[in-house]
């Protein structure tokens, strides 16, 4: 106040100047109230519509559309899709333009591989097989193939031995051949055409 008086003198103007000067402390800055405008979104272009702008359209089914301007209204009534117009937010969203929220993007996690036991093999056996090198695997496969071939050959030999034993007729003292079926003494085929 003393500085104001010295600057302006001791007049009424100095007193008015002293009243009008505001001294703010550093701890709390002045709080200025900011005016908040209620904005709507355009149903077509998705731009903000400020107070005093735009027009409402109420459809027959009762759905209310708030449209920004005459251009948007015209396009809306022509039923031109907003996705097909490059300047609309719908087109930008469809074509992945503009800002993208990192939080909105889903983080794709890689599925952790979990080994289950297979019928006939435990988990430990599977892990051992995976750990084996390809060369060792090939050698093991060749050994298994040879083992399988040997087993097949042994089975074939057994079957052949059984077949030979079954092929030999078992005669219990009867050397005479059996009579043919059908009661024909001659043993030949019957001739049905010759009979009248």
């Amino acid at each position: 106040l003393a500085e104001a008086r010295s600057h302006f003198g001791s007049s009424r103007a100095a007193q008015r100047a002293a009243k009008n000067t505001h001294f703010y402390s550093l701890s709390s800055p002045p709080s200025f109230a900011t005016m908040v405008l209620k904005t709507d979104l355009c149903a077509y272009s998705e731009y903000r519509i400020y107070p005093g702008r735009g027009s409402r359209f109420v459809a027959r089914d009762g759905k209310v559309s708030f449209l920004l301007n005459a251009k948007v209204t015209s396009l809306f009534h022509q039923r031109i899709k907003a996705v097909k117009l490059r300047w609309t937010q719908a087109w930008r969203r469809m074509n992945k333009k503009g800002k993208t929220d990192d939080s909105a993007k889903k983080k794709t996690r890689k599925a952790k591989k979990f080994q289950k036991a297979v019928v006939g093999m435990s988990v430990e056996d599977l892990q051992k097989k995976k750990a084996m090198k390809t060369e060792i695997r090939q050698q093991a496969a060749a050994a298994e193939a040879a083992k399988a071939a040997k087993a097949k050959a042994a089975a074939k030999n057994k079957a052949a031995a059984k077949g030979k034993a079954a092929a030999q007729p078992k005669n219990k003292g009867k050397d005479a051949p059996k009579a043919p079926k059908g009661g024909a003494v001659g043993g030949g085929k019957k001739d049905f055409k010759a009979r009248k």
Side-chain angles (χ1 to χ4, degrees), residues 180 183-189:
V185 182
K189 286 185 179 178

Side-chain angles (χ1 to χ4, degrees), residues 49-183:
I49 302 174
Y50 288 93
R53 299 273 172 158
S55 58
R56 279 179 209 263
F57 172 73
V58 182
R60 285 183 188 164
D61 61 350
K63 188 181 176 187
V64 179
S65 301
F66 205 33
L67 303 168
L68 177 64
N69 52 24
K71 173 184 175 180
V72 168
T73 308
S74 173
L75 291 166
F76 177 80
H77 289 305
Q78 290 176 54
R79 297 188 180 168
I80 293 171
K81 292 179 183 176
V83 178
K84 293 187 177 182
L85 300 172
R86 290 188 70 168
W87 56 272
T88 59
Q89 291 300 315
W91 184 91
R92 292 180 67 79
R93 196 181 315 109
M94 183 70 88
N95 292 284
K96 297 174 184 170
K97 304 291 180 192
K99 61 182 178 183
T100 54
D101 295 327
D102 295 330
S103 60
K105 284 184 180 179
K106 289 183 181 177
K107 292 180 181 177
T108 52
R109 283 187 192 170
K110 284 189 177 179
K112 291 181 181 177
K113 289 183 180 178
F114 182 74
Q115 190 70 50
K116 287 186 179 179
V118 183
V119 178
M121 285 186 113
S122 66
V123 178
E124 292 83 27
D125 294 339
L126 286 169
Q127 286 175 347
K128 283 178 187 175
K129 265 205 168 178
K130 273 189 179 180
M132 284 171 34
K133 291 183 181 175
T134 54
E135 296 169 10
I136 299 168
R137 269 193 215 147
Q138 287 172 350
Q139 288 174 356
E144 271 189 46
K147 203 184 260 187
K150 276 185 183 179
K152 215 176 198 182
K156 211 176 197 181
N157 289 341
K158 277 186 182 178
K162 278 186 181 178
K164 282 182 183 177
Q168 291 175 352
K170 292 180 183 177
N171 295 335
K172 294 180 182 177
K174 294 179 184 175
D175 292 335
K178 286 185 179 178
K181 287 183 180 178

